[in-house]
């Protein structure tokens, strides 16, 4: 898979419930293409409903989202690089909390790294399967 294919799939919020294990649904217009400033709402498996926004979009290279919910904010940046035989996607993220949300935010950040890595592996399998089927 190329960085372009990975980028197109991963930066589209409509695809998120298919590969992100913590999501039940995403609310975004069905015909809205990904763009800088795109906003959507997610519903997680534990009932959290963060407001999400694309804050950086450099086609086929970098995509950043920011999510906020109550006193917690999280940022995830995906870096896409073509490599021999495919592409590499590097994820960098932070989770911050204010007041009573500070400790839960730290815990979420610590647990999030392993979940993000597993979700990206799942996304890679989905993209590869689509390439092979199509």
């Amino acid at each position: 898979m190329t960085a372009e294919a990975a980028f197109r799939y991963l930066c589209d919020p409509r695809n998120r419930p298919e590969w992100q294990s913590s999501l039940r649904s995403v609310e975004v217009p069905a015909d809205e293409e990904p763009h800088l400033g795109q906003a959507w709402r997610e519903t997680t498996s534990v009932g959290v409903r963060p407001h999400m926004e694309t804050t950086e979009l450099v086609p086929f290279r970098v995509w950043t989202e920011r999510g906020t919910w109550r006193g917690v904010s999280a940022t995830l940046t995906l870096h896409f690089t073509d490599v021999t035989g495919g592409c590499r996607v590097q994820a960098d993220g932070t989770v911050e909390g204010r007041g009573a949300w500070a400790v839960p935010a730290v815990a979420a950040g610590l647990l999030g790294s392993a979940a993000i890595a597993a979700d990206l592996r799942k996304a890679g399998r989905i993209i590869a399967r689509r390439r092979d089927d199509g």
Side-chain angles (χ1 to χ4, degrees), residues 6-7 13 20 37 39 46 50 63 76 101 107 115:
F7 183 92
Q20 188 174 338
V46 295
W63 177 79
L76 175 67
W101 296 101

Side-chain angles (χ1 to χ4, degrees), residues 38-118:
Q38 182 178 23
W40 68 97
R41 183 161 307 273
E42 298 179 343
T43 300
T44 68
S45 56
V46 295
V48 174
R49 297 194 70 234
H51 169 79
M52 307 295 294
E53 180 180 356
T54 299
T55 59
E56 182 178 18
L57 188 135
V58 179
F60 321 132
R61 294 288 162 234
V62 181
W63 177 79
T64 302
E65 69 176 14
R66 178 168 174 78
T68 55
W69 181 77
R70 299 193 181 181
V72 178
S73 63
T75 301
L76 175 67
T77 299
L78 300 179
H79 302 271
F80 300 81
T81 308
D82 281 311
V83 296
T84 303
C87 77
R88 176 182 311 136
V89 178
Q90 177 185 333
D92 297 309
T94 60
V95 181
E96 300 172 335
R98 294 184 316 275
W101 296 101
V103 172
V106 169
L110 292 173
L111 297 172
S113 295
I116 291 167

Side-chain angles (χ1 to χ4, degrees), residues 18 105 121 130 133:
E18 184 176 35
R121 285 191 298 273
R130 286 182 176 187
D133 291 345

